[in-house]
Amino acid sequence: MSWQNVLQVLALVLLLGVTVPPLGRYMAAVFGSRSDGTAPGDRVFNPIERVLYRVFGVDSKREQRWNVYALSVLAFTLVSLLGLYVLLRTQGSLPFNPTDRGSLQPTGAFNAAVSFVTNTNWQWFSGEVAISHLTQMLGFAVQNFVSAAVGLATVIALIRGITRSGTRHLGNFWVDLTRGVVRILLPLSLVAAVMLMSQGVVQNFNGHTAATTIDASSGVAEQLIPGGPVASQEAIKELGTNGGGYYNANSSHPFESPNGFTNFMQVFMLLLIPLSLVVTFGVMVNDRRQSRLLIGVMAGILVLFTGTTMLAEQAGNPRVAAMHIDQSLSGVQSGGNMEGKEVRFGTSGCGLYAGSTTGTSTGAVSCMHDSFTPIGGLMPMLHMMLGEISPGGVGVGLSGVLILALLSVFIAGLMVGRTPEYLGKKIQASEMKLVTLYILAMPFALLTFAAASVVLESANTFQSGPHGLSEVLYNFASTANNNGSAFAYQGTGTQWYTITQGISMLMGRFLLMIPVLAIGGSLAAKPKVPATAGTMPTHNALFGALLAGVIVIVAGLTFFPALALGPILEHLSL
Amino acid sequence: MRAFIRQLRPALMAVVVFTLLLGVAYPLVSTLIGQVAFGDKADGSLIVRDGVVVGSEFIGQTFTAPEYFHSRPSAAGAGYDGSASSGSNDGPLNEDFLAAVQERADAYRTENGLDDAVAVPVDAVTASGSGLDPHISIANAHLQAQRVADARGLSLDEVLAMVEDHTDGRSLGVLGEPGVNVVLLNIALDDLTK
């Protein structure tokens, strides 16, 4: 890494340090942390929201129990899913389709609809080849917003469960959804879209523009230059930790990310809300030390994984070096393993992106992960397998780390023989059963389908050798964690993969989200017990180490055997 | 079940309203701002010469003639296909990939009259993620400069000066990596020797 690369990372830390606390406090106010219920911008937003509630036909004052809250989430998701499915199935006969894209087949449309509704944005297809401008706008962009807002709403409901006592109510889903979109995601996206456009990200409604190429002797006389409302999509793609690229190459495409500044900003955008939410949590539970501890654990994991990827990619591919290819860093090249990477980002910009996109549940990429060195590729894969809690997707990341915190206090409680408590709430059998379901659902959705794919002859669409196993593992890790990035050599447009990966995305979303809401409901009903000398503090380094240990050990025990035969074996055979 | 059905009405209305707000109004407003404030950029930073669109400054092209600087290998369609961006996605041990690297390195050395002792810059023998990378490394440009100078009857210094003129530095001095924009450089060379 050059000194500029180090400065780039420090600049990111600094920018996040300046923006995360105020945004976190703002979001806390949006979700009712102030005693009088007011929030900045009420004068502008309140009238808009009142109109929306009237159209929806909901009483914004009426709160919901956890099960009604969950049913609202499911109803909203079902309607979204059906709407997007119909759009994908019929886009070929709908207007606003200048590139003349046809409709998708049933299983492909199912997979794509599930993918965007669950905030995964897994794409078995290539954006510019398969999707019309209309579907991008009415379908994908809309789901980018609302699927993030659903994640946001559910973690707020969980936090309310922790802060309230003696009630069964967790808030109103329709209110939380609306405020998340109108007051947080939409204004931030508009600003981000303008910023991206100023750098050269395209925003138009054109189809392809035919260009007469400069070197006529190259054999290519014409180049089709793509169009589309890209910047508006790009903004929420990062801010909502969605990750679905307008174009196949995602943020390595020059029209999605034209320079080093946009690459940097996109990394910032995808970390911004997940980190700010931890501050929101601290404000809402009225204990900032809790958020500092959680941010510390998240940042520690994020830095470790991102840094390792950057170093591994900068070290390059020894097989390539053996051919007398220069992979060294110097004043005239950034060097490293450049297969699948852009000159303008280099291995550092790419590694920074790869770590951040898999630590959040984004899945956007600014370089091709499938072409990483074995260790460079192991890091993002394992980062997802940790459950995406460093800092995780919008809402779902904080939910995940809070669940793991409950598991940690439970384990600590077992060790010292006391009833575990977290922030004044006793953690008992009913919560622990739900925590167990949460912890087991993702590995189940990942490993069972991956195992079946490896033995099924017809599912063999991957490269040969240990790298093939890495591809299957990575891709199911991505769908089961609602990430969306891919080891993209593997063809996943077959019926087997569109169906199984669609199911694993649904499991990874709702078998986690529903237990979270149930835990929130269970905690809300409990009285707050005052802290005593015997209460284990959950804001000190000891608890931080315990939490990090639980995160690593749970994932390590689950996935190490499979990883040993994939990326680790591949590394040993370099 | 009845509780679920009761939620379907707000669900339906919310999907409709958010589709209008986020799927219609938001991209329209963004496009309006983009077209007014950054028209050329929002349209793809197209390069127009004598009334003909010859490319975009951000989208690389295939160059094979010796008087042009050559772009990196590309996995987008048949090479720099703007309608089919893609990387190779080959794994680091993929035999086809390693064979392709060797072949490209040999071709690069032959093309530029380099002997086997010269290490080939890695970007010259690897495909980018997008397949549309408009840049090559400065090292790569330097090794191609003599060939271009000979083919155009220019001095090496003139060509190197042009390379420097078309080198994009890091954003704000620290973000990203420097690179030579091949499309703009080749156009400028054409202008110089026209």
Side-chain angles (χ1 to χ4, degrees):
Chain A
M1 271 186 278
S2 62
W3 62 267
Q4 289 96 340
N5 300 151
V6 176
L7 268 188
Q8 174 168 249
V9 176
L10 293 178
L12 179 66
V13 174
L14 188 71
L15 187 58
L16 284 168
V18 173
T19 50
V20 160
L23 180 62
R25 287 192 294 270
Y26 170 75
M27 290 197 293
V30 166
F31 293 111
S33 68
R34 293 183 188 167
S35 51
D36 58 358
T38 59
D42 269 348
R43 253 192 319 171
V44 182
F45 295 121
N46 273 343
I48 302 172
E49 287 163 1
R50 268 200 296 275
V51 174
L52 293 182
Y53 300 145
R54 199 171 308 143
V55 179
F56 299 170
V58 298
D59 177 358
S60 62
K61 299 278 181 306
R62 200 161 143 190
E63 295 215 342
Q64 297 168 320
R65 294 184 179 200
W66 83 263
N67 55 336
V68 180
Y69 202 103
L71 287 174
S72 303
V73 170
L74 291 176
F76 183 68
T77 303
L78 182 68
V79 174
S80 297
L81 194 59
L82 291 175
L84 185 51
Y85 179 80
V86 170
L87 187 59
L88 287 161
R89 293 280 287 140
T90 56
Q91 65 170 10
S93 23
L94 295 174
F96 211 61
N97 182 8
T99 45
D100 208 19
R101 298 304 170 215
S103 302
L104 266 56
Q105 290 309 302
T107 62
F110 159 75
N111 182 285
V114 166
S115 169
F116 278 78
V117 166
T118 57
N119 199 263
T120 312
N121 299 29
W122 171 262
Q123 292 161 301
W124 62 265
F125 48 84
S126 120
E128 67 262 53
V129 176
I131 304 300
S132 75
H133 286 357
L134 186 79
T135 305
Q136 291 276 10
M137 286 166 57
L138 293 193
F140 292 173
V142 174
Q143 286 308 318
N144 279 353
F145 276 98
V146 295
S147 65
V150 167
L152 204 52
T154 50
V155 78
I156 295 298
L158 173 65
I159 298 172
R160 290 193 187 118
I162 295 171
T163 56
R164 295 176 176 186
S165 52
T167 173
R168 298 207 165 268
H169 293 138
L170 292 180
N172 183 315
F173 169 72
W174 304 107
V175 172
D176 294 337
L177 175 75
T178 305
R179 289 171 80 98
V181 168
V182 173
R183 294 178 185 242
I184 299 167
L185 296 172
L186 186 54
L188 284 177
S189 296
L190 205 53
V191 173
V194 172
M195 190 273 297
L196 290 170
M197 286 187 284
S198 76
Q199 298 298 308
V201 177
V202 300
Q203 180 76 20
N204 58 56
F205 296 133
N206 307 337
H208 291 126
T209 306
T212 310
T213 54
I214 298 158
D215 183 1
S217 68
S218 68
V220 186
E222 188 185 71
Q223 185 182 44
L224 294 179
I225 296 175
V230 178
S232 55
Q233 181 94 309
E234 198 65 24
I236 184 61
K237 170 186 122 185
E238 322 294 349
L239 286 165
T241 60
N242 296 281
Y246 202 98
Y247 303 119
N248 184 45
N250 211 299
S251 283
S252 73
H253 196 295
F255 279 174
E256 291 200 24
S257 185
N259 57 39
F261 176 71
T262 52
N263 188 65
F264 173 85
M265 281 310 291
Q266 291 187 8
V267 172
F268 164 73
M269 283 155 63
L270 53 88
L271 291 169
L272 177 64
I273 296 179
L275 283 172
S276 301
L277 266 175
V278 188
V279 174
T280 304
F281 168 70
V283 174
M284 289 179 78
V285 300
N286 204 13
D287 185 352
R288 309 290 174 91
R289 296 170 307 176
Q290 304 293 337
S291 38
R292 275 200 285 275
L293 180 276
L294 293 182
I295 285 185
V297 172
M298 290 169 163
I301 296 172
L302 180 66
V303 167
L304 180 71
F305 279 74
T306 307
T308 308
T309 304
M310 289 165 78
L311 292 173
E313 290 308 293
Q314 184 67 62
N317 183 344
R319 292 286 186 96
V320 170
M323 292 179 232
H324 205 38
I325 307 294
D326 185 8
Q327 297 183 96
S328 66
L329 168 74
S330 68
V332 286
Q333 70 162 15
S334 61
N337 170 25
M338 284 299 284
E339 183 65 24
K341 295 187 185 63
E342 310 293 298
V343 167
R344 64 192 183 282
F345 305 149
T347 54
S348 272
C350 153
L352 192 59
Y353 207 113
S356 308
T357 199
T358 49
T360 62
S361 78
T362 309
V365 295
S366 74
C367 50
M368 296 303 133
H369 294 190
D370 210 353
S371 298
F372 277 6
T373 60
I375 298 300
L378 168 64
M379 288 299 123
M381 190 182 327
L382 189 55
H383 212 181
M384 292 189 287
M385 288 170 170
L386 296 183
E388 293 178 338
I389 37 64
S390 47
V394 170
V396 291
L398 179 59
S399 292
V401 86
L402 290 175
I403 298 298
L404 287 159
L406 296 185
L407 182 61
S408 303
V409 292
F410 177 74
I411 291 172
L414 285 184
M415 288 194 273
V416 296
R418 282 184 56 95
T419 310
E421 291 163 21
Y422 188 62
L423 299 173
K425 291 297 174 89
K426 279 198 161 64
I427 309 302
Q428 290 161 308
S430 56
E431 289 85 25
M432 284 318 297
K433 282 180 194 157
L434 292 162
V435 167
T436 310
L437 174 59
Y438 181 102
I439 301 282
L440 291 177
M442 182 274 283
F444 183 78
L446 196 172
L447 289 172
T448 46
F449 288 126
S453 303
V454 173
V455 295
L456 260 183
E457 195 70 40
S458 61
N460 185 342
T461 55
F462 34 83
Q463 297 179 53
S464 62
H467 195 77
L469 180 61
S470 299
E471 284 175 336
V472 178
L473 286 173
Y474 190 101
N475 292 338
F476 277 103
S478 175
T479 53
N481 282 292
N482 295 165
N483 184 275
S485 65
F487 269 19
Y489 180 97
Q490 190 189 12
T492 50
T494 66
Q495 229 168 39
W496 165 259
Y497 283 111
T498 48
I499 293 171
T500 54
Q501 293 183 330
I503 296 170
S504 83
M505 286 188 268
L506 286 172
M507 291 170 71
R509 178 80 161 176
F510 295 106
L511 291 186
L512 275 58
M513 198 171 264
I514 294 169
V516 163
L517 289 172
I519 291 170
S522 170
L523 292 178
K526 295 187 177 192
K528 233 180 167 68
V529 289
T532 64
T535 306
M536 185 177 72
T538 53
H539 60 259
N540 59 13
L542 180 65
F543 183 73
L546 180 67
L547 177 58
V550 165
I551 292 168
V552 171
I553 290 167
V554 167
L557 292 178
T558 314
F559 297 112
F560 182 76
L563 292 174
L565 296 173
I568 296 173
L569 180 60
E570 189 184 24
H571 177 71
L572 296 175
S573 37
L574 260 184
Chain B
M1 198 62 207
R2 195 181 306 151
F4 179 72
I5 290 167
R6 254 208 308 271
Q7 299 301 326
L8 284 177
R9 185 193 120 95
L12 183 66
M13 295 315 292
V15 170
V16 170
V17 170
F18 284 136
T19 300
L20 293 175
L21 178 68
L22 309 168
V24 180
Y26 164 65
L28 279 180
V29 169
S30 300
T31 308
L32 194 69
I33 297 172
Q35 291 293 331
V36 171
F38 320 103
D40 291 345
K41 286 178 172 165
D43 279 338
S45 308
L46 301 175
I47 308 166
V48 182
R49 292 164 56 78
D50 308 324
V52 180
V53 177
V54 298
S56 159
E57 68 173 275
F58 291 123
I59 306 286
Q61 293 187 13
T62 305
F63 295 95
T64 54
E67 68 265 30
Y68 287 116
F69 280 89
H70 296 175
S71 304
R72 300 177 62 190
S74 162
Y80 290 92
D81 181 344
S83 65
S85 64
S86 181
S88 73
N89 286 305
D90 288 339
L93 287 174
N94 184 310
E95 294 300 332
D96 294 341
F97 161 66
L98 294 171
V101 169
Q102 183 67 63
E103 200 176 304
R104 291 164 185 162
D106 293 343
Y108 187 86
R109 288 202 178 92
T110 312
E111 229 168 56
N112 297 298
L114 308 171
D115 61 44
D116 288 349
V118 179
V120 176
V122 63
D123 68 290
V125 294
T126 50
S128 66
S130 61
L132 304 173
D133 195 342
H135 293 106
I136 57 177
S137 70
I138 301 168
N140 185 351
H142 283 176
L143 288 177
Q144 294 189 43
Q146 187 65 58
R147 184 198 75 227
V148 173
D150 292 347
R152 290 185 180 263
L154 295 168
S155 75
L156 181 60
D157 286 345
E158 282 175 294
V159 174
L160 288 177
M162 295 288 283
V163 168
E164 200 176 338
D165 283 349
H166 292 88
T167 302
D168 296 324
R170 296 181 174 87
S171 307
L172 309 175
V174 290
L175 309 178
E177 303 291 348
V180 179
N181 189 311
V182 181
V183 176
L184 294 179
L185 172 60
N186 283 332
I187 289 177
L189 283 167
D190 272 353
D191 285 345
L192 193 70
T193 52
K194 204 182 323 192

